[in-house]
PDB file of all heavy atoms in Angstrom:
ATOM      1  N   TRP A  26      87.386 102.464  86.370  1.00 95.00           N
ATOM      2  CA  TRP A  26      88.523 102.282  87.263  1.00 95.00           C
ATOM      3  C   TRP A  26      88.172 101.325  88.387  1.00 95.00           C
ATOM      4  O   TRP A  26      88.923 100.410  88.712  1.00 95.00           O
ATOM      5  CB  TRP A  26      88.935 103.644  87.832  1.00 95.00           C
ATOM      6  CG  TRP A  26      90.391 103.928  87.778  1.00 95.00           C
ATOM      7  CD1 TRP A  26      91.217 104.162  88.831  1.00 95.00           C
ATOM      8  CD2 TRP A  26      91.215 104.030  86.620  1.00 95.00           C
ATOM      9  NE1 TRP A  26      92.494 104.375  88.413  1.00 95.00           N
ATOM     10  CE2 TRP A  26      92.533 104.305  87.048  1.00 95.00           C
ATOM     11  CE3 TRP A  26      90.979 103.887  85.253  1.00 95.00           C
ATOM     12  CZ2 TRP A  26      93.596 104.470  86.179  1.00 95.00           C
ATOM     13  CZ3 TRP A  26      92.050 104.047  84.382  1.00 95.00           C
ATOM     14  CH2 TRP A  26      93.326 104.336  84.837  1.00 95.00           C
ATOM     15  N   ALA A  29      87.775  97.803  86.983  1.00 95.00           N
ATOM     16  CA  ALA A  29      89.033  97.188  86.558  1.00 95.00           C
ATOM     17  C   ALA A  29      89.967  96.921  87.724  1.00 95.00           C
ATOM     18  O   ALA A  29      90.682  95.927  87.741  1.00 95.00           O
ATOM     19  CB  ALA A  29      89.721  98.076  85.530  1.00 95.00           C
ATOM     20  N   TRP A 130      99.078 113.663 107.656  1.00 84.00           N
ATOM     21  CA  TRP A 130      99.888 113.714 106.453  1.00 84.00           C
ATOM     22  C   TRP A 130     101.330 113.307 106.702  1.00 84.00           C
ATOM     23  O   TRP A 130     102.151 113.383 105.814  1.00 84.00           O
ATOM     24  CB  TRP A 130      99.807 115.085 105.778  1.00 84.00           C
ATOM     25  CG  TRP A 130     100.608 116.165 106.424  1.00 84.00           C
ATOM     26  CD1 TRP A 130     101.957 116.327 106.397  1.00 84.00           C
ATOM     27  CD2 TRP A 130     100.087 117.252 107.175  1.00 84.00           C
ATOM     28  NE1 TRP A 130     102.314 117.456 107.086  1.00 84.00           N
ATOM     29  CE2 TRP A 130     101.191 118.047 107.569  1.00 84.00           C
ATOM     30  CE3 TRP A 130      98.811 117.644 107.544  1.00 84.00           C
ATOM     31  CZ2 TRP A 130     101.040 119.198 108.322  1.00 84.00           C
ATOM     32  CZ3 TRP A 130      98.663 118.786 108.280  1.00 84.00           C
ATOM     33  CH2 TRP A 130      99.761 119.543 108.666  1.00 84.00           C
ATOM     34  N   ASN A 142     113.448 103.773 116.787  1.00 91.00           N
ATOM     35  CA  ASN A 142     114.698 104.342 117.293  1.00 91.00           C
ATOM     36  C   ASN A 142     114.620 104.695 118.770  1.00 91.00           C
ATOM     37  O   ASN A 142     115.579 104.496 119.512  1.00 91.00           O
ATOM     38  CB  ASN A 142     115.060 105.593 116.491  1.00 91.00           C
ATOM     39  CG  ASN A 142     115.490 105.249 115.083  1.00 91.00           C
ATOM     40  OD1 ASN A 142     116.042 104.182 114.860  1.00 91.00           O
ATOM     41  ND2 ASN A 142     115.228 106.124 114.143  1.00 91.00           N
ATOM     42  N   ARG A 152     116.676 105.432 128.261  1.00 91.00           N
ATOM     43  CA  ARG A 152     117.554 106.351 128.987  1.00 91.00           C
ATOM     44  C   ARG A 152     116.762 107.198 129.966  1.00 91.00           C
ATOM     45  O   ARG A 152     117.144 107.382 131.121  1.00 91.00           O
ATOM     46  CB  ARG A 152     118.293 107.250 127.999  1.00 91.00           C
ATOM     47  CG  ARG A 152     119.486 106.552 127.390  1.00 91.00           C
ATOM     48  CD  ARG A 152     120.467 107.547 126.890  1.00 91.00           C
ATOM     49  NE  ARG A 152     120.536 107.509 125.439  1.00 91.00           N
ATOM     50  CZ  ARG A 152     121.041 108.475 124.714  1.00 91.00           C
ATOM     51  NH1 ARG A 152     121.493 109.568 125.279  1.00 91.00           N
ATOM     52  NH2 ARG A 152     121.095 108.362 123.408  1.00 91.00           N
ATOM     53  N   TYR A 180      99.234 104.427 119.188  1.00 96.00           N
ATOM     54  CA  TYR A 180      99.898 105.640 118.689  1.00 96.00           C
ATOM     55  C   TYR A 180      99.522 105.914 117.247  1.00 96.00           C
ATOM     56  O   TYR A 180      99.271 107.066 116.856  1.00 96.00           O
ATOM     57  CB  TYR A 180     101.415 105.469 118.806  1.00 96.00           C
ATOM     58  CG  TYR A 180     102.187 106.673 118.344  1.00 96.00           C
ATOM     59  CD1 TYR A 180     102.296 107.799 119.150  1.00 96.00           C
ATOM     60  CD2 TYR A 180     102.804 106.700 117.099  1.00 96.00           C
ATOM     61  CE1 TYR A 180     103.000 108.907 118.732  1.00 96.00           C
ATOM     62  CE2 TYR A 180     103.507 107.799 116.678  1.00 96.00           C
ATOM     63  CZ  TYR A 180     103.608 108.901 117.497  1.00 96.00           C
ATOM     64  OH  TYR A 180     104.301 110.005 117.077  1.00 96.00           O
ATOM     65  N   GLN A 212      79.275 119.982 136.605  1.00 73.00           N
ATOM     66  CA  GLN A 212      80.054 119.696 135.399  1.00 73.00           C
ATOM     67  C   GLN A 212      79.966 118.228 135.014  1.00 73.00           C
ATOM     68  O   GLN A 212      79.759 117.884 133.865  1.00 73.00           O
ATOM     69  CB  GLN A 212      81.512 120.086 135.636  1.00 73.00           C
ATOM     70  CG  GLN A 212      81.730 121.575 135.513  1.00 73.00           C
ATOM     71  CD  GLN A 212      83.145 121.887 135.045  1.00 73.00           C
ATOM     72  OE1 GLN A 212      84.025 121.040 135.138  1.00 73.00           O
ATOM     73  NE2 GLN A 212      83.337 123.085 134.555  1.00 73.00           N
ATOM     74  N   THR A 247     105.489  94.102 112.672  1.00 90.00           N
ATOM     75  CA  THR A 247     106.800  93.767 112.118  1.00 90.00           C
ATOM     76  C   THR A 247     107.839  94.797 112.510  1.00 90.00           C
ATOM     77  O   THR A 247     108.989  94.475 112.750  1.00 90.00           O
ATOM     78  CB  THR A 247     106.734  93.686 110.582  1.00 90.00           C
ATOM     79  OG1 THR A 247     105.604  92.925 110.206  1.00 90.00           O
ATOM     80  CG2 THR A 247     107.986  93.045 110.029  1.00 90.00           C
ATOM     81  N   LEU A 248     107.431  96.046 112.582  1.00 91.00           N
ATOM     82  CA  LEU A 248     108.387  97.082 112.951  1.00 91.00           C
ATOM     83  C   LEU A 248     108.733  97.029 114.424  1.00 91.00           C
ATOM     84  O   LEU A 248     109.865  97.266 114.803  1.00 91.00           O
ATOM     85  CB  LEU A 248     107.825  98.467 112.599  1.00 91.00           C
ATOM     86  CG  LEU A 248     107.896  98.847 111.129  1.00 91.00           C
ATOM     87  CD1 LEU A 248     107.140 100.146 110.907  1.00 91.00           C
ATOM     88  CD2 LEU A 248     109.333  99.016 110.690  1.00 91.00           C
TER      89      LEU A 248
ATOM     90  N   ARG C  25      89.470 122.099 136.246  1.00 64.00           N
ATOM     91  CA  ARG C  25      89.040 121.091 135.270  1.00 64.00           C
ATOM     92  C   ARG C  25      89.747 121.344 133.959  1.00 64.00           C
ATOM     93  O   ARG C  25      90.255 120.470 133.307  1.00 64.00           O
ATOM     94  CB  ARG C  25      87.527 121.217 135.080  1.00 64.00           C
ATOM     95  CG  ARG C  25      86.987 120.234 134.059  1.00 64.00           C
ATOM     96  CD  ARG C  25      86.416 119.032 134.778  1.00 64.00           C
ATOM     97  NE  ARG C  25      86.106 117.950 133.847  1.00 64.00           N
ATOM     98  CZ  ARG C  25      85.013 117.899 133.128  1.00 64.00           C
ATOM     99  NH1 ARG C  25      84.135 118.880 133.183  1.00 64.00           N
ATOM    100  NH2 ARG C  25      84.801 116.872 132.329  1.00 64.00           N
ATOM    101  N   TRP C  39     103.303 113.968 122.756  1.00 94.00           N
ATOM    102  CA  TRP C  39     103.454 112.526 122.509  1.00 94.00           C
ATOM    103  C   TRP C  39     103.333 112.206 121.038  1.00 94.00           C
ATOM    104  O   TRP C  39     104.029 111.339 120.510  1.00 94.00           O
ATOM    105  CB  TRP C  39     102.375 111.787 123.310  1.00 94.00           C
ATOM    106  CG  TRP C  39     102.324 110.324 123.147  1.00 94.00           C
ATOM    107  CD1 TRP C  39     103.303 109.428 123.446  1.00 94.00           C
ATOM    108  CD2 TRP C  39     101.207 109.556 122.700  1.00 94.00           C
ATOM    109  NE1 TRP C  39     102.877 108.146 123.206  1.00 94.00           N
ATOM    110  CE2 TRP C  39     101.589 108.200 122.745  1.00 94.00           C
ATOM    111  CE3 TRP C  39      99.918 109.881 122.260  1.00 94.00           C
ATOM    112  CZ2 TRP C  39     100.734 107.173 122.370  1.00 94.00           C
ATOM    113  CZ3 TRP C  39      99.068 108.853 121.889  1.00 94.00           C
ATOM    114  CH2 TRP C  39      99.481 107.517 121.940  1.00 94.00           C
ATOM    115  N   THR C  40     102.458 112.922 120.353  1.00 94.00           N
ATOM    116  CA  THR C  40     102.215 112.580 118.964  1.00 94.00           C
ATOM    117  C   THR C  40     103.267 113.172 118.043  1.00 94.00           C
ATOM    118  O   THR C  40     103.610 112.570 117.023  1.00 94.00           O
ATOM    119  CB  THR C  40     100.782 113.016 118.567  1.00 94.00           C
ATOM    120  OG1 THR C  40     100.210 112.058 117.726  1.00 94.00           O
ATOM    121  CG2 THR C  40     100.765 114.336 117.903  1.00 94.00           C
ATOM    122  N   GLN C  58     121.518 106.348 115.575  1.00 86.00           N
ATOM    123  CA  GLN C  58     120.116 106.743 115.620  1.00 86.00           C
ATOM    124  C   GLN C  58     119.684 107.037 117.042  1.00 86.00           C
ATOM    125  O   GLN C  58     118.548 107.415 117.278  1.00 86.00           O
ATOM    126  CB  GLN C  58     119.235 105.598 115.079  1.00 86.00           C
ATOM    127  CG  GLN C  58     119.368 105.372 113.599  1.00 86.00           C
ATOM    128  CD  GLN C  58     118.524 106.358 112.811  1.00 86.00           C
ATOM    129  OE1 GLN C  58     117.848 107.207 113.379  1.00 86.00           O
ATOM    130  NE2 GLN C  58     118.569 106.237 111.500  1.00 86.00           N
ATOM    131  N   THR C  59     120.554 106.762 117.993  1.00 86.00           N
ATOM    132  CA  THR C  59     120.137 106.890 119.382  1.00 86.00           C
ATOM    133  C   THR C  59     121.047 107.808 120.191  1.00 86.00           C
ATOM    134  O   THR C  59     120.694 108.196 121.288  1.00 86.00           O
ATOM    135  CB  THR C  59     120.142 105.512 120.069  1.00 86.00           C
ATOM    136  OG1 THR C  59     121.401 104.890 119.796  1.00 86.00           O
ATOM    137  CG2 THR C  59     119.038 104.638 119.505  1.00 86.00           C
ATOM    138  N   TYR C 145      95.757  90.041  90.989  1.00 92.00           N
ATOM    139  CA  TYR C 145      95.218  90.472  89.706  1.00 92.00           C
ATOM    140  C   TYR C 145      96.333  90.716  88.700  1.00 92.00           C
ATOM    141  O   TYR C 145      96.291  90.221  87.584  1.00 92.00           O
ATOM    142  CB  TYR C 145      94.426  91.754  89.955  1.00 92.00           C
ATOM    143  CG  TYR C 145      93.848  92.425  88.755  1.00 92.00           C
ATOM    144  CD1 TYR C 145      92.864  91.811  87.996  1.00 92.00           C
ATOM    145  CD2 TYR C 145      94.244  93.702  88.401  1.00 92.00           C
ATOM    146  CE1 TYR C 145      92.302  92.455  86.910  1.00 92.00           C
ATOM    147  CE2 TYR C 145      93.680  94.348  87.323  1.00 92.00           C
ATOM    148  CZ  TYR C 145      92.709  93.731  86.587  1.00 92.00           C
ATOM    149  OH  TYR C 145      92.151  94.378  85.514  1.00 92.00           O
ATOM    150  N   SER C 165      95.763 104.927  92.461  1.00 96.00           N
ATOM    151  CA  SER C 165      94.793 105.931  92.044  1.00 96.00           C
ATOM    152  C   SER C 165      93.372 105.435  92.324  1.00 96.00           C
ATOM    153  O   SER C 165      92.505 106.222  92.699  1.00 96.00           O
ATOM    154  CB  SER C 165      94.965 106.281  90.565  1.00 96.00           C
ATOM    155  OG  SER C 165      94.822 105.123  89.778  1.00 96.00           O
ATOM    156  N   ASP C 227     102.701 108.827 101.183  1.00 92.00           N
ATOM    157  CA  ASP C 227     102.938 108.020 102.365  1.00 92.00           C
ATOM    158  C   ASP C 227     102.396 106.614 102.239  1.00 92.00           C
ATOM    159  O   ASP C 227     102.483 105.836 103.184  1.00 92.00           O
ATOM    160  CB  ASP C 227     102.270 108.660 103.585  1.00 92.00           C
ATOM    161  CG  ASP C 227     102.852 110.025 103.885  1.00 92.00           C
ATOM    162  OD1 ASP C 227     104.006 110.261 103.513  1.00 92.00           O
ATOM    163  OD2 ASP C 227     102.132 110.849 104.487  1.00 92.00           O
ATOM    164  N   ARG C 253     114.476  98.154 111.049  1.00 74.00           N
ATOM    165  CA  ARG C 253     114.943  97.312 112.149  1.00 74.00           C
ATOM    166  C   ARG C 253     116.407  96.924 112.011  1.00 74.00           C
ATOM    167  O   ARG C 253     116.926  96.160 112.792  1.00 74.00           O
ATOM    168  CB  ARG C 253     114.092  96.040 112.216  1.00 74.00           C
ATOM    169  CG  ARG C 253     112.739  96.271 112.829  1.00 74.00           C
ATOM    170  CD  ARG C 253     112.016  94.963 112.996  1.00 74.00           C
ATOM    171  NE  ARG C 253     112.557  94.148 114.054  1.00 74.00           N
ATOM    172  CZ  ARG C 253     112.203  94.230 115.331  1.00 74.00           C
ATOM    173  NH1 ARG C 253     111.287  95.102 115.696  1.00 74.00           N
ATOM    174  NH2 ARG C 253     112.726  93.422 116.217  1.00 74.00           N
ATOM    175  N   THR C 272     103.891 118.315 103.740  1.00 91.00           N
ATOM    176  CA  THR C 272     103.488 119.486 104.527  1.00 91.00           C
ATOM    177  C   THR C 272     103.276 120.674 103.606  1.00 91.00           C
ATOM    178  O   THR C 272     102.292 121.417 103.732  1.00 91.00           O
ATOM    179  CB  THR C 272     104.561 119.843 105.563  1.00 91.00           C
ATOM    180  OG1 THR C 272     104.911 118.673 106.283  1.00 91.00           O
ATOM    181  CG2 THR C 272     104.052 120.889 106.529  1.00 91.00           C
TER     182      THR C 272
END
Side-chain angles (χ1 to χ4, degrees):
Chain A
W26 227 241
W130 77 74
N142 290 330
R152 279 203 248 162
Y180 181 77
Q212 281 209 342
T247 313
L248 282 172
Chain C
R25 179 98 190 279
W39 177 61
T40 219
Q58 290 279 0
T59 50
Y145 176 65
S165 58
D227 298 335
R253 283 186 72 87
T272 310

